[in-house]
Amino acid sequence: MLRRRLSRLCAGEEKRVGTRTVVVGHRPVLETDAYVAQKFCDNRIVSSKYTLWNFLPKNLFEQFRRIANFYFLIIFLVQVIVDTPTSPVTSGLPLFFVITVTAIKQGYEDWLRHRADNEVNKSNVFIVENAKQVQKESEKIKVGDIVEVKADETFPCDLIFLASSSIDGTCYVTTASLDGESNFKTHYAVRDTTVLCTDEAIDALTATIECEQPQPDLYKFVGRIIIYRSNQEPVARSLGPENLLLKGATLKNTKKIYGVAVYTGMETKMALNYQGKSQKRSAVEKSINAFLIVYLCILLSKATVCTTLKYVWQSNPFNDEPWYNEKTKKERDTFKVLRMFTDFLSFMVLFNFIIPVSMYVTVEMQKFLGSFFISWDKEMYDEEIKEGALVNTSDLNEELGQVEYVFTDKTGTLTENSMEFIECCIDGHKYKDCLSEVDGFSQTDGPLKYGKAEKSREELFLRALCLCHTVQIKEADQVDGLIGHPERKYSYISSSPDEIALVKGAEKYGFTFLGLENDFMKIRNQKNETEMYQLLHVLNFDPVRRRMSVIVRTTTGKLLLFCKGADSSIFPRVQQEEIQQTKVHVDRNAMDGYRTLCVAFKELTQKEYDKIDRQLNEAKMALQDREEKMAKVFEDAEADMHLIGATAVEDRLQEQSAETIEALHAAGMKVWVLTGDKMETAKSTCYACRLFQTSTELLELTAKTVGESERKEDRLHELLMEYHKKLIQDVPKNRGGLKRSWTLSQEYGLIIDGSTLSLILNPSQDSSSSNYKNIFLQICLKCTAVLCCRMAPLQKAQIVRMVKNTKGSPITLSIGDGANDVSMILEAHVGIGIKGKEGRQASRNSDYAVPKFKHLRKLLLAHGHLYYVRIAHLVQYFFYKNLCFILPQFLYQFFCGFSQQPLYDAAYLTMYNICFTSLPILAYSLLEQHISIDMLTSDPQLYMKVSDNAMLQWRPFLYWTFLGAFEGLVFFFGVYFLFQNSSLEDNGKIFGNWTFGTIVFTVLVFTVTLKLALDTRFWTWMNHFVIWGSLAFYVFFSFFWGGVIWPFLKQQRMYFVFAHMLTSVSTWLAIILLIFISLFPEILLIVLKNIKEKNHQSSRKAPDSLSARPSVRPLLLRTFSDESNVL
């Protein structure tokens, strides 16, 4: 019987696998039916990765997936299994340290997640059972439970809104924890359940809900509720996002609500959005991997050379088996190949410290700790929103110093997204400031039109502005003195700043929107009379349609459809003879940089309305393809309208956005603007923010230049070839010059729109159009600036991907503030979100978030530059100091018969990277400023000096490698020549091999530490503490390990070695002399560099004739002189 009823209600809509059925309150529809609870997940939130039982195996598995960790594990196992010259402790302890530190960090982070999960899961909620409120823990909520939520409480799961304390069945919600939007959103209860606002009434409800299976889109929901009443046919109502209250959102300005749980626990939309973004890797990591391969080859070659020479040496029987060290029977019987392999592994173990395992931990710590400097930067704090910069991904800090292409949104990024109503036009007549003022068009605008529009048309237009929107009224707190006062006692709230600007614009002209009450919209007209309109349907805005409509009924019964939207979506749907007089006005406003919207209306007959109403209700009830079905109804309803007029709203440029773009250009970056706005508006904004200069020649690939005819592909081909010839074929090749400089004497800018871009990126199968993309890309790369207008979100991502995948893989950065920018933010190497007024989806999905576009200047030119220099120095220094460390060990084998005798004591081998040399480079990589931040921000061309991964190319890498090899040779042979005089003490005692190794190690530790001190330009107390403290700790440890401070250690081989070594004056002199000789090339280089810089500074005082971008230079000079007070 139930099945028959349902099939009658939802004819043609068979139940599909992609839906779920929820029984409200677990009450079976018919008393004769046996209720079988469906299995849904519980309401526990689990954001943690580990449990107490799987932490160790899971964490170890994840860590040993890293190549370096796995390599050292193999080395450690070789030391354990094979008789190697060094103790397994030498590689086991550093590996244990690295694994332990990482495990503790990850374990602590996971413990915090466990604690946060428990706070949510154990919180108390109220559930209605048997007409009573029952208090339970949040994790015990089941799908189908009726939950009561009070004001300022957070929704414990995703609920379908059934009833509230408000008579009209509405509630206000903030979703700051979901998408960052702090404005109130209005949600609506199911129409038939709004009266059920007590525990007894709501518990008596018998209903089932059919809805889609869980999916992560916060703004999408499709379902229907079927309500059963005794002796009546079931009633079916559609459910949409406006009926769904999301877990994590907070109830505001409403005493209480009742809702039924539809998604719980890890199936809630909030939990489904936990899934992180795809991992982005920086170019530095690729360089590290390349350098590792080189050093691995060095390691293998060293082991191969030593193994080969060992057997050459042992080919002499006396060397192979001297009289004092005869072989055992087991050694004689061993296969020679096996012995050679074992010896090879032993040499690998002896030299394995050339691969710096501790570098990975240091790099991780540098990135993690370094990211706090961005968050702490007071200059990037915005007083208006009381927030500063935010780092979501610390893995990409150095990538900020390597950006070549910047892709930026326009609205809310370059502009403030703070809309102000400027003017409007009604039937071609312009209205500005007040309704009585009439300002005719000038001659250049087209046909002159004086006078005013008819009064009825004026009122119709203003009523359209008051009715066609989704603005809500938020009442202010009532104060006795204000009641009856003419000043407004409420504020407008909306998800779009444009809508509020238009409603305020109508109010300026005498028509005031008073709010929505019981489906009736109230407005006050110019005569101070209140008008009531029944709101029948809202045809919501979406980026594809680019318009929205409302259908209302007047008190006289007349049915009206009002529509507002972009001119491109309105003009094709109105009478063609009405367009021209308004189009003139719209085009002029767009050229002035204003955002324009056109307003149209249509009077409906009852028959037409009934048809639309029926089709809309059918579409709303669909569980599959609901959006497509509704879009079809909207399309039919919004046909054959009449144009009334247009509006112009100003979106002011953000403070210092023009100066920021100029600085980015001067730093060698190319800036592309990707916007959904119309071409004229975007173009004027680009001129205002100096993306285009007055001397820039603009090349257009738009619907206007390509045309709409069938020959548009041929015309596009002609234009592409013409521009390609102008920019590439006719321009002489660049011979040297400045890196990243523009080679063209004439600057070019390109403008392209979405429809033309579709032709280029998705050409027809015709072979002639297959290479459009390559030609277009070559043109783009030669232009100094590119403007892409009328872009869909997906097209923005396509543009970024196209540039990202070009030859050389340039580093791309995308910056935007809205949900439509998320795709390009995720696509770019570095994504930056602006904490704007279009919600926080962009900042939530970004790698970094900043309050304003102007902060991009310091983020890239100062922070990015410094992070790159620091981490590049860190990587090169680690390889250098490990080569210095292991080369003497390799050379020592030539003097010990390739017997695999270690040069250094096991304690020194173990602690070299962990204790003696790790903290100075970490402090350097966090604090170093080789150029002051003020200088970096004021002189953008300094950014180009480190561009293209300049400090991690093969040339600097080879310099560091040769420096390490030179110093390693000095350490070893300097001490070797010292030992030519075998008696170094007055009493004739002879120093042994451990003293030899300790002198080499002492010179090594002091040299690599002082090398870092020479490289340090920005000294703080912390640098002094770690550099001199590390050297002092080495001396202290050597005394301790030698049994001087801790006499219980006197049984081991290093007993009193360090102390005896320092009793020799020759040793003191040798250490000081060898340190000086090792550092002499570096000191000489620094002196020469300082002389060169002084000469350069004196020459810069003379007029600078060199300019990387000729037409920018005067503007740059002006910009920096203007900003001298700010920086």
Side-chain angles (χ1 to χ4, degrees), residues 1070-1086:
I1071 290 171
I1072 293 167
L1073 185 63
L1074 290 175
I1075 290 171
F1076 176 75
I1077 291 170
S1078 301
L1079 293 175
F1080 181 72
E1082 194 69 19
I1083 293 166
L1084 192 65
L1085 210 64
I1086 290 169

Side-chain angles (χ1 to χ4, degrees), residues 416-669:
E416 288 185 352
N417 203 12
S418 175
M419 309 298 176
E420 184 184 347
F421 187 90
I422 299 297
E423 61 183 62
C424 62
C425 117
I426 305 170
D427 288 345
H429 299 276
K430 177 179 168 185
Y431 294 81
K432 191 167 185 176
D433 298 330
C434 66
L435 206 60
S436 59
E437 181 189 337
V438 179
D439 181 8
F441 287 135
S442 64
Q443 284 286 353
T444 55
D445 289 323
L448 286 167
K449 263 204 139 170
Y450 294 103
K452 293 163 66 176
E454 296 175 15
K455 186 72 175 173
S456 61
R457 297 287 286 180
E458 287 177 0
E459 291 180 352
L460 181 66
F461 178 81
L462 294 171
R463 285 190 180 98
L465 293 188
C466 278
L467 296 171
C468 189
H469 56 73
T470 56
V471 173
Q472 301 287 331
I473 296 282
K474 183 186 174 187
E475 297 288 341
D477 295 333
Q478 293 290 335
V479 182
D480 291 346
L482 288 176
I483 295 173
H485 197 272
E487 288 186 16
R488 204 168 68 205
K489 302 186 291 297
Y490 50 84
S491 59
Y492 296 123
I493 54 174
S494 172
S495 56
S496 167
D498 293 78
E499 291 201 320
I500 295 176
L502 295 178
V503 171
K504 285 181 176 177
E507 187 177 0
K508 192 165 71 171
Y509 291 132
F511 275 74
T512 308
F513 174 61
L514 300 176
L516 178 69
E517 193 176 307
N518 296 328
D519 289 338
F520 279 89
M521 299 179 86
K522 293 193 292 184
I523 60 174
R524 186 170 56 237
N525 61 24
Q526 292 166 324
K527 299 172 184 173
N528 222 20
E529 299 167 346
T530 302
E531 299 178 4
M532 303 280 282
Y533 294 85
Q534 185 183 0
L535 179 62
L536 301 171
H537 286 289
V538 176
L539 281 55
N540 287 316
F541 175 88
D542 68 62
V544 179
R545 290 171 59 239
R546 297 178 62 81
R547 61 187 183 277
M548 74 152 294
S549 302
V550 293
I551 301 175
V552 295
R553 179 183 274 120
T554 65
T555 47
T556 59
K558 191 184 289 185
L559 291 159
L560 297 171
L561 179 145
F562 290 109
C563 180
K564 72 168 189 284
D567 57 323
S568 59
S569 68
I570 296 289
F571 286 166
R573 289 167 180 81
V574 297
Q575 310 303 316
Q576 292 307 297
E577 63 273 10
E578 300 170 345
I579 293 175
Q580 190 54 42
Q581 57 187 16
T582 303
K583 189 175 185 298
V584 173
H585 181 89
V586 168
D587 290 345
R588 196 192 74 165
N589 282 149
M591 289 178 71
D592 291 340
Y594 298 138
R595 290 165 67 88
T596 57
L597 284 176
C598 295
V599 181
F601 89 107
K602 174 182 181 180
E603 192 168 336
L604 300 171
T605 63
Q606 187 64 45
K607 187 178 177 182
E608 287 173 329
Y609 169 71
D610 289 342
K611 181 185 175 185
I612 293 169
D613 183 55
R614 187 183 71 256
Q615 290 175 338
L616 272 176
N617 287 330
E618 284 175 6
K620 284 179 181 177
M621 292 302 294
L623 291 184
Q624 302 291 327
D625 305 324
R626 180 182 288 185
E627 286 79 8
E628 290 81 355
K629 290 174 182 175
M630 291 184 73
K632 176 70 172 64
V633 182
F634 291 170
E635 187 74 24
D636 295 342
E638 292 166 337
D640 301 322
M641 297 186 291
H642 296 279
L643 189 62
I644 320 172
T647 61
V649 172
E650 183 183 24
D651 186 7
R652 287 188 298 274
L653 271 186
Q654 276 195 24
E655 176 192 6
Q656 292 183 34
S657 60
E659 290 83 351
T660 303
I661 283 183
E662 277 198 329
L664 297 180
H665 268 303
M669 286 173 256

Side-chain angles (χ1 to χ4, degrees), residues 855-1002:
H855 297 134
L856 188 63
R857 178 177 187 160
K858 188 174 184 185
L859 186 67
L860 298 185
L861 303 188
H863 289 293
H865 184 114
L866 290 175
Y867 280 130
Y868 174 75
V869 169
R870 290 165 182 167
I871 202 162
H873 199 284
L874 182 152
V875 169
Q876 300 278 29
Y877 179 79
F878 254 97
F879 283 108
Y880 147 81
K881 75 183 179 75
N882 278 33
L883 183 59
C884 291
F885 181 40
I886 286 303
L887 186 60
Q889 176 75 74
F890 170 68
L891 296 170
Y892 186 57
Q893 296 308 302
F894 289 84
F895 296 88
C896 68
F898 305 99
S899 60
Q900 298 148 14
Q901 168 65 32
L903 176 62
Y904 310 117
D905 180 67
Y908 289 155
L909 280 170
T910 306
M911 298 186 70
Y912 176 71
N913 278 320
I914 296 177
C915 300
F916 300 148
T917 58
S918 58
L919 284 178
I921 184 60
L922 180 61
Y924 176 95
S925 65
L926 288 171
L927 303 168
E928 175 61 8
Q929 293 179 26
H930 63 298
I931 303 172
S932 71
I933 288 179
D934 288 345
M935 178 67 76
L936 287 170
T937 14
S938 60
D939 186 359
Q941 291 197 359
L942 292 170
Y943 189 85
M944 282 193 279
K945 290 189 175 181
V946 297
S947 62
D948 302 322
N949 204 13
M951 293 179 69
L952 287 173
Q953 297 292 348
W954 290 109
R955 190 173 171 181
F957 171 72
L958 290 173
Y959 165 76
W960 280 90
T961 302
F962 284 125
L963 186 66
F966 166 74
E967 291 181 6
L969 290 166
V970 170
F971 301 157
F972 182 81
F973 286 109
V975 179
Y976 175 74
F977 289 127
L978 172 70
F979 266 66
Q980 295 302 301
N981 175 14
S982 57
S983 176
L984 290 172
E985 296 189 68
D986 296 338
N987 57 11
K989 282 185 181 178
I990 297 171
F991 282 170
N993 65 318
W994 294 117
T995 308
F996 182 87
T998 305
I999 296 173
V1000 172
F1001 192 80
T1002 304

Side-chain angles (χ1 to χ4, degrees), residues 779-824:
I779 294 168
C780 286
L781 298 183
K782 283 290 180 183
C783 290
T784 50
V786 177
L787 166 63
C788 304
C789 45
R790 296 292 199 203
M791 289 282 121
L794 194 62
Q795 287 181 313
K796 291 185 178 185
Q798 283 180 311
I799 287 275
V800 176
R801 191 182 308 119
M802 180 180 74
V803 174
K804 190 171 83 169
N805 295 333
T806 55
K807 187 180 177 184
S809 300
I811 303 299
T812 56
L813 178 147
S814 291
I815 179 167
D817 72 317
N820 60 331
D821 303 316
V822 169
S823 55
M824 75 169 181

Side-chain angles (χ1 to χ4, degrees), residues 152-337:
D152 297 319
E153 289 182 354
T154 302
F155 300 118
C157 57
D158 290 353
L159 304 167
I160 291 296
F161 183 18
L162 297 176
S164 80
S165 53
S166 304
I167 303 167
D168 57 356
T170 59
C171 73
Y172 294 101
V173 166
T174 58
T175 54
S177 63
L178 294 169
D179 57 14
E181 294 188 34
S182 55
N183 57 322
F184 289 9
K185 294 185 175 69
T186 310
H187 284 258
Y188 302 92
V190 178
R191 193 191 315 167
D192 300 73
T193 61
T194 50
V195 294
L196 310 175
C197 45
T198 63
D199 295 344
E200 294 79 10
I202 203 77
D203 191 56
L205 175 66
T206 304
T208 58
I209 292 171
E210 287 183 17
C211 59
E212 61 188 357
Q213 291 292 0
Q215 52 101 353
D217 192 334
L218 296 175
Y219 311 101
K220 186 179 174 187
F221 176 72
V222 174
R224 61 180 171 229
I225 183 169
I226 300 156
I227 302 164
Y228 301 88
R229 299 188 180 101
S230 55
N231 303 322
Q232 290 184 27
E233 281 289 309
V235 176
R237 299 288 181 214
S238 64
L239 299 173
E242 69 279 2
N243 308 117
L244 186 69
L245 304 171
L246 299 177
K247 178 183 175 68
T250 307
L251 184 65
K252 293 286 184 183
N253 283 22
T254 312
K255 288 181 182 175
K256 68 172 183 180
I257 65 101
Y258 292 105
V260 58
V262 284
Y263 305 128
T264 51
M266 298 309 291
E267 292 184 338
T268 57
K269 289 184 181 286
M270 186 177 85
L272 293 173
N273 276 278
Y274 281 154
Q275 295 161 1
K277 308 179 285 290
S278 60
Q279 189 67 32
K280 294 180 180 180
R281 293 286 176 197
S282 73
V284 168
E285 289 191 38
K286 295 169 190 170
S287 298
I288 291 174
N289 292 337
F291 298 161
L292 265 179
I293 290 168
V294 171
Y295 270 66
L296 197 59
C297 292
I298 293 172
L299 172 63
L300 291 167
S301 59
K302 278 184 178 180
T304 306
V305 166
C306 285
T307 307
T308 307
L309 291 177
K310 177 176 182 173
Y311 283 90
V312 171
W313 164 265
Q314 288 182 353
S315 60
N316 183 334
F318 176 76
N319 293 337
D320 184 33
E321 194 173 355
W323 60 269
Y324 57 83
N325 189 18
E326 291 184 2
K327 290 182 179 178
T328 63
K329 187 175 184 303
K330 184 183 176 184
E331 285 175 330
R332 286 197 187 97
D333 294 342
T334 309
F335 285 114
K336 192 170 184 180
V337 174

